[in-house]
Amino acid sequence: MPYPFGRAFLLKNMMSSTLKNNRKVTLLILGLLSAIGPFSIDLYLPAFDNIATDFNTSVDKVQLSLTSYFIGIAFGQMVYGPLLDKFGRKKPLLVGLAIYIVASVLCLFTRDINHLIFLRFLQALGSCGGMVGARAMVTDYYSSREAAKVFSLLMLVIGVSPILAPSIGAFMLTHLDWHFIFLFLAVMALVIFLATWFLLPESYTGNREMSLAPKSILGNFWQVLSNKVFLSYCLIGSIASAGTYAYLAGSSFVMQQYFGLTKQQYGLAFAFVASAMIIATQLNRYFLKKHSSEQISRLANTWQAFIGILMVLALSFDLLTFPVALMLIFFFLFGHGFIFPNTSAVALSPFKGLAGSASALLGCIQMAIGAFASGMVSALHNETPWPMLGVMAAGGVLSLILHVVVKNRVKTDIA
């Protein structure tokens, strides 16, 4: 006798039960999948000077390896989105992790900065599968309001990476060559690969009838992109994130060369600043009990823009000492810790069957804007903090302007 609700219904309920029974393990793995990208960025930031010296090039050329990583993530997510919707979540995740491991190992043997820039692009293509897949799996299981809380939990794991990574990177550079940073990343990815394979429950088996023809894929992307809720909140969150990527691109120079910090001091300063996002994302779970994601993200946008303007004014009037810069950047990222989970939850809320494609577009747009922001920091490099702080402030202000415009023009339906 056939099941009255069908195999898909039963499988979804079985997976939901598995998720509830292994909630902590599942959330940890989803967090690690989301964090592999940020960890890959933060771990090697203290090594910019070492890499530049080893390759006999400049720091701004090494910064292009960061830009290429952002471009790779932006491009790669567009590929993974349709694959996640057609073949389910786990298979594309595992393929991506395998690519990442191979690229990380190849970084060990490179002796040319252009090769490293390309390998970082390839490494990004592997890592972005985890970022897209994790967001899609959250959308598979949770309503929009609950998803915002889960995104906050994932940000707790993601937020640990900027605290641990630079310190680990600085410690490794004290005792080992910078190439070993990429060996560490390869081993870490292998552990995540095994955890995903054996411990992560599948949340969506895929739609095998879905076509991967370019016309069909573009049609699905257009269906997502033409949704006003998605487009508005995707852009709000992505433009706000531009400031974070500008900080990642410029912090090594500003803190180590402009303010004169050692690698160990830079690692500690980076960890302190990163803790702002952890604090914010966990407070966000409390505020969601009384306020909507739109309200929280709009207030955080206002805060971030205000801090961005303060940073520019402090630099203009020669008041930007290291303690002042550290605290202002801390408060800037504190605001972003509220913006990311809430704008992501609202942007993805209209989609279920196309969650992979929606997640891919969200990540692609965010990373494309992030790549542009980091590229601007590199292109405008003038031996001062102006490029980094200017791009950070611009991201905060532009995001706030868009949020104000969207407020009365886009209606959301958050469950």
Side-chain angles (χ1 to χ4, degrees):
M1 178 178 178
Y3 295 114
F5 297 104
R7 181 174 178 274
F9 176 86
L10 291 174
L11 182 59
K12 182 176 179 64
N13 280 275
M14 288 171 61
M15 292 301 102
S16 297
S17 177
T18 303
L19 180 71
K20 291 176 182 178
N21 294 336
N22 301 279
R23 180 182 174 88
K24 292 182 179 178
V25 173
T26 300
L27 287 176
L28 176 60
I29 297 174
L30 291 177
L32 292 174
L33 287 167
S34 301
I36 191 170
F39 209 91
S40 302
I41 295 168
D42 302 328
L43 190 68
Y44 92 131
L45 290 179
F48 276 18
D49 288 343
N50 302 67
I51 296 173
T53 300
D54 197 15
F55 289 148
N56 193 27
T57 188
S58 59
V59 172
D60 57 302
K61 185 66 180 287
V62 177
Q63 286 177 339
L64 292 178
S65 67
L66 184 62
T67 301
S68 72
Y69 192 90
F70 292 149
I71 293 173
I73 290 181
F75 172 77
Q77 291 184 82
M78 299 295 287
V79 175
Y80 282 101
L83 297 178
L84 288 162
D85 287 334
K86 182 177 179 64
F87 298 109
R89 310 310 187 199
K90 286 188 65 171
K91 290 180 180 178
L93 285 181
L94 294 172
V95 172
L97 288 170
I99 294 173
Y100 180 92
I101 293 169
V102 172
S104 299
V105 172
L106 290 176
C107 286
L108 288 169
F109 303 103
T110 184
R111 293 296 183 268
D112 180 86
I113 184 60
N114 293 317
H115 292 166
L116 181 64
I117 291 172
F118 171 74
L119 288 172
R120 287 286 288 172
F121 174 81
L122 187 62
Q123 196 181 36
L125 292 182
S127 70
C128 61
M131 301 170 67
V132 181
R135 286 194 300 265
M137 293 179 96
V138 171
T139 306
D140 290 338
Y141 284 117
Y142 302 101
S143 66
S144 298
R145 183 178 288 273
E146 185 66 18
K149 297 178 182 179
V150 176
F151 278 128
S152 294
L153 283 171
L154 294 185
M155 280 295 290
L156 175 61
V157 181
I158 296 172
V160 170
S161 66
I163 290 180
L164 294 179
S167 299
I168 294 173
F171 176 81
M172 293 178 70
L173 290 171
T174 304
H175 303 281
L176 300 167
D177 183 78
W178 65 265
H179 290 85
F180 283 88
I181 288 176
F182 292 96
L183 177 61
F184 181 94
L185 290 174
V187 173
M188 180 185 72
L190 179 60
V191 172
I192 297 174
F193 178 92
L194 295 173
T196 300
W197 192 348
F198 293 108
L199 300 177
L200 184 65
E202 178 63 274
S203 64
Y204 178 66
T205 57
N207 178 10
R208 295 306 175 97
E209 296 180 359
M210 176 182 172
S211 173
L212 291 180
K215 183 177 181 180
S216 177
I217 292 174
L218 291 176
N220 289 335
F221 279 139
W222 178 248
Q223 182 179 340
V224 174
L225 196 60
S226 60
N227 184 284
K228 291 183 179 180
V229 173
F230 173 85
L231 183 61
S232 299
Y233 282 89
C234 172
L235 287 176
I236 290 169
S238 298
I239 295 173
S241 297
T244 302
Y245 290 107
Y247 165 70
L248 291 173
S251 63
S252 179
F253 167 79
V254 171
M255 292 192 181
Q256 292 187 90
Q257 296 187 35
Y258 186 81
F259 287 119
L261 270 64
T262 65
K263 286 181 172 55
Q264 289 74 21
Q265 290 171 333
Y266 171 59
L268 292 173
F270 201 95
F272 170 74
V273 169
S275 68
M277 287 197 293
I278 293 180
I279 296 170
T281 53
Q282 299 318 296
L283 286 175
N284 184 55
R285 296 167 58 199
Y286 170 76
F287 291 138
L288 280 167
K289 296 178 181 178
K290 299 181 180 179
H291 305 283
S292 70
S293 291
E294 300 97 312
Q295 292 172 328
I296 296 171
S297 59
R298 188 165 56 248
L299 181 60
N301 256 155
T302 305
W303 170 263
Q304 189 184 62
F306 173 70
I307 297 299
I309 293 171
L310 281 184
M311 290 192 297
V312 170
L313 290 175
L315 185 58
S316 299
F317 291 98
D318 200 25
L319 299 174
L320 196 75
T321 61
F322 173 69
V324 171
L326 189 68
M327 291 308 302
L328 287 176
I329 295 172
F330 177 94
F331 289 133
F332 185 91
L333 294 186
F334 180 77
H336 183 63
F338 289 100
I339 296 171
F340 171 80
N342 289 296
T343 56
S344 295
V346 177
L348 294 176
S349 62
F351 308 101
K352 289 296 179 182
L354 291 176
S357 296
S359 177
L361 267 177
L362 176 69
C364 175
I365 293 172
Q366 183 185 63
M367 288 299 170
I369 293 176
F372 175 78
S374 66
M376 287 296 293
V377 173
S378 179
L380 298 174
H381 183 73
N382 62 354
E383 305 294 330
T384 74
W386 269 113
M388 183 185 82
L389 298 184
V391 175
M392 290 175 71
V397 171
L398 290 175
S399 180
L400 176 61
I401 292 173
L402 179 58
H403 216 150
V404 172
V405 171
V406 165
K407 179 182 177 182
N408 296 319
R409 297 188 180 183
V410 177
K411 302 299 181 182
T412 62
D413 183 18
I414 303 300

